[in-house]
Amino acid sequence: MLLNRDDWYDTSRDLDWTFTYVEASDAFPARWSGVGAESADAWQAWDEPFRVSYRDYVRIQREKESGVKAVRSAMMRAGVYEKLDAGHVAASHLHMGTTCMVEQMAVTMQSRFCRFAPSPRWRNLGVFGMLDETRHAQLDLLFSHDLLKFDPRFDWAQKAFHTNEWGVLAVKNFFDDIMLSADCVEASLAASLTVEHGFTNIQFVALAADAMAAGDVNWSNLLSSIQTDEARHAQVGFPTLAVLMETDPARAQTSLDVAFWRSTRLFQVLTGPAMDYYTPLDQRKMSFKEFMLEWIVNHHERILEDYGLKKPWYWDQFMHSLENGHHALHIGTWYWRPTLFWKPNAGVSKDEREWLREKYPTWEDNWGVMWDEIIKNVNDDRIQDTLPVTLPSLCNLTQLPIGSAMSRHDLEPHQLVYKERLYSFDSEISQWCFEQDPERYAGHRSFVDRFIGGEILPPDLGGALAYMGLTPDVMGDDAYGYAWAKDYVTAEAG
Ligand code: MN
Ligand code: MN
């Protein structure tokens, strides 16, 4: 007779044993579990609500896979990709190049949960997480492989993380830290709770909606399918936080405050420009800020409140950054477009500008004036003056350009000396993150550190582009060949 799941589930996921040949602390070193011997008992309370069995998991995942594949072949047959808007396509290049290998890194993180997590229930759930993330990386590769014949940029789904492209280095720097190097407790707070449960909603819900509106049904469907897995395995963050609040609440506060800021900065470059500039105007659902407020900020505030944590000390500065950071990163990435592997859309035609003004009341004063300079140069046939000759200085925490965290008026330097080396930061917050655990961040050399250190030869923009692996067939340029700037020609003449 078959037992009901409730009759056997607890036995299956609580499988554990007492070590006799080795010490428990050798089998589960604190370096990897994140849990010292003194609090080991508290982790017995760790629980998850999913009650998933392997049999059910396989059945449901198989259905999801068939759904994705059916849409994929229908869309390929219909030749949908060739009809997509150039601005929208840039968002998919950016996504595939920066996300595919993060999915693969997540497999390693989940495998660490399987082996070292401080509760057998968590280790059990890690198995499903590993299978999820394997599926995500494979789906991204499959999608990109299908489209390779239309654009070599899809090769970057696999290639990007094997290059030194500066934006990819920033992404890699963050995920190497929170996925590949962090102990289980730290990884589940930073990666599961903050990134997977929070920030991936921008990428997988907001971008999926924009992609659907843009007619990119295949990509939209792929993103949504991935998100159904994230919504499940991201839950390991909650029981982890619950136990940590019993054993070490100060650590919980610091870990989440650091992870929240670092995620904010990363998604300001990964998703902010895609939502507010690349997506065609009539297909935009929400602004990046609106989406952040509804899906990330409210969410995060609720978690902090529910678990008895305080808002981060930097909350006001964060809100200021929400108004500005991704606009700064957008104008920066557009200006340094030869250093990208996608073609950014400027997104500042007159109609688009009106939308930006409405969504961001300070936009004109901060960013519009700078775009006016660029527009003038474009229309005076001085494209050369809209291209970079040098590299921007970079933050030693986020690896993003200094001056890209707040408004154009907030440029006071943030620097410190640690073990005789000078470190620079994009904000007071990033400096604070560094100070919480300097050994964790010190030593890494940013792109500019490498440039100054003589690793990039010849020491000019050409040498830097070669070092980044950027070949002419993928190198970034304006998505519409500057056609949007014509909007301003007649106005100036009249
Ligand atoms: Mn994933
Ligand atoms: Mn995940």
Side-chain angles (χ1 to χ4, degrees):
M1 193 188 83
L2 269 178
L3 289 172
N4 286 324
R5 179 168 37 192
D6 284 345
D7 297 331
W8 55 259
Y9 187 71
D10 284 326
T11 316
S12 76
R13 68 176 186 156
D14 278 345
L15 182 67
D16 211 352
W17 58 91
T18 310
F19 296 104
T20 49
Y21 293 102
V22 294
E23 293 299 322
S25 59
D26 289 334
F28 289 90
R31 169 70 189 84
W32 284 121
S33 71
V35 173
E38 70 292 346
S39 69
D41 286 347
W43 291 89
Q44 296 309 312
W46 196 99
D47 204 359
E48 46 84 11
F50 273 96
R51 307 187 72 77
V52 57
S53 72
Y54 185 70
R55 184 193 178 95
D56 289 340
Y57 177 85
V58 171
R59 182 176 54 76
I60 293 166
Q61 296 304 92
R62 187 174 179 284
E63 282 166 16
K64 288 186 197 171
E65 284 288 276
S66 333
V68 173
K69 302 236 164 86
V71 173
R72 169 193 170 222
S73 28
M75 293 304 123
M76 289 300 286
R77 272 198 309 277
V80 168
Y81 180 81
E82 294 108 303
K83 296 167 202 145
L84 294 174
D85 182 274
H88 166 75
V89 166
S92 74
H93 293 152
L94 169 58
H95 176 88
M96 288 303 161
T98 52
T99 310
C100 179
M101 285 303 136
V102 176
E103 304 281 16
Q104 190 62 38
M105 291 160 102
V107 178
T108 303
M109 177 184 78
Q110 294 287 345
S111 72
R112 185 170 323 114
F113 293 166
C114 292
R115 172 58 185 83
F116 292 110
S119 149
R121 296 166 181 179
W122 184 352
R123 297 199 288 272
N124 180 54
L125 216 58
V127 177
F128 300 114
M130 243 176 105
L131 292 167
D132 287 345
E133 303 296 4
T134 304
R135 184 173 94 93
H136 303 170
Q138 293 295 316
L139 277 177
D140 281 354
L141 287 172
L142 178 70
F143 176 96
S144 299
H145 186 264
D146 281 343
L147 298 178
L148 201 49
K149 57 177 174 287
F150 300 111
D151 197 319
R153 291 179 175 88
F154 282 108
D155 198 22
W156 280 59
Q158 191 176 44
K159 182 180 171 181
F161 276 51
H162 303 286
T163 73
N164 288 311
E165 198 274 341
W166 69 272
V168 172
L169 287 183
V171 180
K172 202 153 68 163
N173 183 271
F174 180 55
F175 288 103
D176 272 357
D177 181 20
I178 67 162
M179 282 185 169
L180 298 189
S181 311
D183 62 53
C184 294
V185 171
E186 177 74 23
S188 83
L189 293 183
S192 311
L193 192 61
T194 310
V195 176
E196 291 176 318
H197 192 265
F199 283 85
T200 58
N201 283 303
I202 325 178
Q203 203 76 0
F204 292 92
V205 177
L207 265 192
D210 284 350
M212 189 58 89
D216 199 346
V217 184
N218 194 16
W219 187 36
S220 176
N221 188 53
L222 174 141
L223 291 172
S224 305
S225 182
I226 288 177
Q227 185 61 10
T228 60
D229 293 351
E230 295 298 335
R232 174 169 33 72
H233 65 237
Q235 299 285 335
V236 304
F238 292 101
T240 306
L241 180 56
V243 177
L244 200 60
M245 289 309 289
E246 300 293 320
T247 57
D248 194 351
R251 180 182 174 195
Q253 182 84 53
T254 308
S255 290
L256 286 177
D257 289 355
V258 169
F260 188 76
W261 175 247
R262 294 186 71 194
S263 306
T264 298
R265 291 293 287 141
L266 202 62
F267 282 81
Q268 280 178 338
V269 70
L270 292 184
T271 331
M275 285 184 73
D276 283 358
Y277 295 91
Y278 300 176
T279 299
L281 187 57
D282 56 344
Q283 293 154 6
R284 288 179 203 164
K285 296 286 173 215
M286 274 176 145
S287 71
F288 177 70
K289 182 178 82 177
E290 286 165 342
F291 196 89
M292 278 287 293
L293 286 173
E294 185 172 329
W295 285 76
I296 315 297
V297 178
N298 280 347
H299 237 70
H300 195 70
E301 282 183 298
R302 208 163 46 236
I303 293 171
L304 296 176
E305 209 179 292
D306 288 354
Y307 287 84
L309 290 158
K310 295 191 297 277
K311 265 191 209 176
W313 63 270
Y314 56 71
W315 202 249
D316 292 346
Q317 290 189 48
F318 159 72
M319 294 303 274
H320 186 50
S321 179
L322 197 53
E323 206 68 45
N324 290 291
H326 69 293
H327 298 305
L329 285 161
H330 173 62
I331 194 169
T333 44
W334 187 88
Y335 182 74
W336 269 278
R337 55 202 178 283
T339 70
L340 311 177
F341 59 88
W342 66 94
K343 289 171 88 170
N345 177 21
V348 291
S349 67
K350 287 198 163 170
D351 289 349
E352 289 166 319
R353 219 161 147 157
E354 199 181 308
W355 182 89
L356 287 163
R357 253 197 310 271
E358 184 203 312
K359 300 290 181 190
Y360 302 92
T362 58
W363 188 88
E364 279 296 341
D365 171 52
N366 272 312
W367 314 107
V369 289
M370 295 170 80
W371 278 108
D372 281 336
E373 285 297 309
I374 290 173
I375 290 164
K376 199 168 175 341
N377 283 327
V378 169
N379 285 331
D380 289 351
D381 267 336
R382 291 198 310 268
I383 298 289
Q384 228 21 59
D385 293 349
T386 72
L387 285 162
V389 283
T390 55
L391 296 167
S393 62
L394 297 175
C395 172
N396 285 117
L397 182 92
T398 64
Q399 314 300 324
L400 297 173
I402 289 181
S404 72
M406 304 290 166
S407 88
R408 131 182 113 82
H409 305 292
D410 307 294
L411 292 173
E412 65 276 25
H414 303 282
Q415 292 183 315
L416 62 78
V417 174
Y418 179 75
K419 291 189 177 169
E420 291 172 31
R421 182 180 152 188
L422 179 69
Y423 290 90
S424 303
F425 303 96
D426 59 17
S427 58
E428 187 189 350
I429 315 173
S430 292
Q431 178 169 344
W432 174 82
C433 293
F434 183 96
E435 285 165 351
Q436 301 316 298
D437 195 354
E439 276 305 305
R440 182 164 162 181
Y441 308 108
H444 179 84
R445 285 178 0 277
S446 75
F447 194 88
V448 172
D449 295 330
R450 298 174 199 196
F451 191 80
I452 295 166
E455 271 177 61
I456 298 169
L457 293 168
D460 55 22
L461 192 67
L465 292 174
Y467 182 81
M468 287 190 252
L470 287 159
T471 44
D473 55 336
V474 298
M475 196 175 285
D477 196 357
D478 185 79
Y480 294 110
Y482 311 96
W484 51 272
K486 299 284 172 287
D487 248 16
Y488 297 86
V489 174
T490 40
E492 277 158 20

